[in-house]
Structures are given as structure tokens and as C-alpha cells.
Amino acid sequence: MALRTLKPKKIDPSFINEVKAAGGKNIGACFQCGTCVSSCPAGLVTTYKIRKILRKTSLGLKDDVLKSEDIWKCTTCLACYDRCPRGVEPVEVILAIRNIAVRHGYFPEKLKSNLRNIINAGQLVTLTDDISGFRVELGLSENSPHMKSSKALDEVNKILEITGIEGLEV
Amino acid sequence: MRYSLFLGCVAPHRYPGIEAATRKIFDRLGIDLIDMGDASCCPAPGVFRSIDNLTWLALGARNITIAEENKADILTVCNGCFGSLNEVNYRLKNDVITRLEVNDILSKINREYKGEREVKHVVDVLYNDVGVKVIKESVAVPLEALKVAVHYGCHFLRPKTHLEHNGSARMKAFNALVEATGATNVVYRDKLLCCGAGGGLRSNDLESSLEIAKQKLENIRESGADIIVNPCSFCTFHLDTSQPALNEKYGETFRIPVLHYVQFLGLAMGLKPYELGLQKHLIPLDDLLEKVGV
């Protein structure tokens, strides 16, 4: 494979600082050993390679990283977090990148629908008629014992409004 | 002893047998569980932390304030809920600036996070607060005929730095609780491998999450285990529903029953399978129940 030369206009040297501020604070300590990749269950079955994302981020390849489908493969199993010899906490870096991606409009549709469930019901996994009937058979209340009042849902939505997340779901 | 019961979304809305089992075993143990009527989704660590860290912290902290009002620590039956709420609690207790930022948001809904409560996994409660001795005494139907593949799940064990009883101590606790029922705990390859559901992957990319489950299930099948027992609602959901999906996709023949530990302990306590909601598990438990004489 021929080596590509990076064009300066595609490089955003401030990207790494943006990622640090969003929670991936230890990214600078990565020395590319690959322990994260070899610990990663998602890496076992997809093309996702954490250290490649970390390197691209350090190099400032912002668009490339934010558009990448790979950043959404992490299961947050935290194996890399526990095993990284440099304390990079790679999961934190990936989550920080996801947060930035969402604010740049790279928000996977399925996760948008998860957010809609929170806005509408305060719950990510919502009740079905079938399960509701089964709950009664088991001697439980028809609905979950959580989210009992409209006040609770108002509070949840107020939080989403303050943090600026409400509105991103559409 | 009393706890604020945090059920989350998956147990009440997909596997209500886990909720029923939790209520019944704690009733037998004489421990009060207080419902958290105002609680929302934990919120799901993989999904919500992926969207926005501060929102995740604030929604999690709001749930913890309900336990503070109850003056009772949180008990969770899902590794996801535990991972989220314990991590939020850890951060807010240890990071003053984040705490101020979150409390600024909570003040707009007339709440304040005080850092007065612990978030406990049901395994922590059963092992540390109740004790293996009491659990052993509660067993009416010993499950000696069963070979169990234990799946701990990721957020039960990690990150080790944020857990009071960490790593091998947590594995030891869960093993002891499983073995207290009389069952045999089998060895299998790559025991700590993730089930594949977390991080929003099951929502966002079901195919990949099934591939990870396939690896896990192949390793377990190889061990000859009769059943998978785990301490998480979401892992239970994923490992149970993945099997028919993989069988259809690959012509596989996975048929390993999956139970949450509270259901497994319920069986050992002599509760009836239908009281524990086992009839709705996708992988039927009939052969297994016959084996233990239930």
C-alpha cells in the first residue's frame, strides 16, 4: 500500500484538545502498543481498531474520525480501560469522540430513537402490551414501578433542555 | 435492612420475571425494597454517555437523589444500571467541579445531589450484606445436578479502579453465590468476554453484537454447561434472544438456557418456575427443570 501524504487543510491540530476537554483527557499518553485492540470484543468481529482511532485523533484527522462508523462499535466493556499500561482509559476517549460526533450531526438513527424514548417515556426500553399482560400474570403492577408521575418526566425533559440535548433527536 | 430498588428498563419491560424473582427472594430474606416511583432510565451507560456526558451525569444523579430522599442505598439488578449509577456516584463524590456543575442543573428541578448513598449491585448485597451462609440456609431445592457457566458481565467487574471490592474479589463473590445453590461452576474459555450488547451496539449494530454473543456462546457450549447464570438483566436479554437469532442466521443449534442469578436463586429457594417468569424465556428450561426435579 502506498503511503498517503496528509494535506494540511484536512488536519485540525486542535481536535485532540477538543477530545481531551470532552472527557478523553489521557489520550496524549498513548504509545500505540495495541493492548486495547487485542482486548477488544468489537475488534474481534469488526474492523474497529481503537489505537487507530487514537492515532488519527492525535494527528488531527477530525472529519475522518467523526464520520467513521468504527467509533460506534465499542461495547464499553472497559477491558481496554483496565488493561492499558499507560492509563489512557481508551473507552473515555471513544465516548468523548462520540459526544463530539453527535454535536456535529453524526448521530446514528438508532441512538436517536433511544433518545426519543427517554424524551417521551423517561425509559430507554419501553413497555409492550404483551409484557404488560405478563407482568400482571406474575403479580406485578401493569407498568414499571419507575416513572410513575408526569413530574418525573418533566424533570427528565428539563435536564435534556438545559444540557441542549433536546432537539438533537429529530 | 432496606434498599431503594432500582430496576431500570430491561427487567420490568422485557424480562419481568427478573423483577418478580427479586421481590420474592428479598421478601424471603426479610429485606425491604422501596420502589423508586420517580426514577427514570439509569440512563443506559453506553447509549447516554455516547450522546452527552453531562446529560448522563445529571440524569444519573437525579436518580440517586431519589435514594437520598428514601435514606436507603440503591440496589440494582442490571450491570448497566450499576455501571451508570455507581460511576456517576463515584465521579460526583470525588470530583467537586463536576458535582457543582451537575448540582447547578439539578437545582433547576429543585433537587440536590448530596453524596450520601451507595449504589450496590444485587450480588454485593447478597454476598456482603446478607452473606453466603444465609443464602445456603435458604436453599430448599439444591441444584446439584446443574453445571453452570457463569457470565459476570463487564460493568459488574470494571473499571476496577472505581469498585470497592474489585476484580477477582467480585468474581469470587459471584462464584460463591452460584455455588451456594449446590450447582457446579464450570470453566470455559475467555470467561470475561463481553456479551456484545453494551455501548449502544445492540441498538445501533445488531449484527456485530450478535457476532460477539456467538463467540461467547460457542465457548460456553464447548464447556458442556447446562445453563448460563449471570447477574445482569441486559446480558440475560441479549444472551437469551441472540440464540434463536444466531440459529436462524447460521443454522446454528444454540440451546443454552439463560437465567439471571435472582431467578436461579429463586428456583433453589423452591419458588415455582412460573412465579419467576421462566415460561417467557426464549430458550426453554423444561429439560433443565426436569433434571433438578422441579
Side-chain angles (χ1 to χ4, degrees), chain B residues 143-192:
Chain B
L143 305 176
E144 279 153 359
L146 297 183
K147 285 185 282 180
V148 174
V150 161
H151 168 68
Y152 305 103
C154 302
H155 294 90
F156 174 67
L157 298 174
R158 300 187 278 254
K160 60 186 175 195
T161 43
H162 298 185
L163 293 168
E164 195 183 339
H165 305 279
N166 63 32
S168 57
R170 298 182 71 74
M171 289 184 231
K172 192 179 142 209
F174 192 51
N175 292 341
L177 289 175
V178 169
E179 289 158 12
T181 63
T184 307
N185 183 357
V186 301
V187 175
Y188 67 92
R189 187 152 45 103
D190 211 357
K191 208 171 187 176
L192 303 190

Side-chain angles (χ1 to χ4, degrees), chain A residues 73 75-77 82 92 98-99 103 108 114 122-123 125-126 134-135 138 146-149 155 163 165, chain B residues 7 9 12-14 19 36-39 41 49-50 53 55 62 91 111 155 158 199 203 205 280:
Chain A
K73 302 299 180 196
T75 68
T76 68
C77 80
D82 271 11
E92 300 293 335
R98 286 182 178 180
N99 281 195
R103 299 279 184 170
N114 291 154
Q123 307 259 28
V125 178
T126 49
F134 186 42
R135 290 183 57 81
L138 291 171
H146 297 325
M147 295 305 292
K148 280 294 183 209
S149 65
E155 289 184 8
T163 59
I165 288 304
Chain B
L7 290 159
C9 306
H13 291 162
R14 291 293 175 273
E19 177 181 342
M36 298 174 72
D38 282 336
C41 177
R49 286 191 69 191
S50 298
N53 191 57
T55 309
R62 180 185 166 277
R91 286 180 188 226
R111 289 185 180 273
H155 294 90
R158 300 187 278 254
S203 246
D205 179 3
K280 285 270 185 181

Side-chain angles (χ1 to χ4, degrees), chain A residues 113-154:
Chain A
S113 106
N114 291 154
L115 176 57
R116 276 195 291 273
N117 287 350
I118 298 285
I119 292 170
N120 296 329
Q123 307 259 28
L124 194 135
V125 178
T126 49
L127 190 64
T128 61
D129 290 346
D130 180 40
I131 297 288
S132 182
F134 186 42
R135 290 183 57 81
V136 175
E137 273 176 49
L138 291 171
L140 301 169
S141 55
E142 209 173 305
N143 298 305
S144 160
H146 297 325
M147 295 305 292
K148 280 294 183 209
S149 65
S150 60
K151 173 179 157 269
L153 191 59
D154 289 346

Side-chain angles (χ1 to χ4, degrees), chain A residues 13-34:
Chain A
S14 66
F15 183 45
I16 186 170
N17 292 328
E18 212 178 319
V19 170
K20 283 181 185 171
K25 59 185 190 308
N26 301 344
I27 183 174
C30 175
F31 60 7
Q32 291 284 297
C33 70

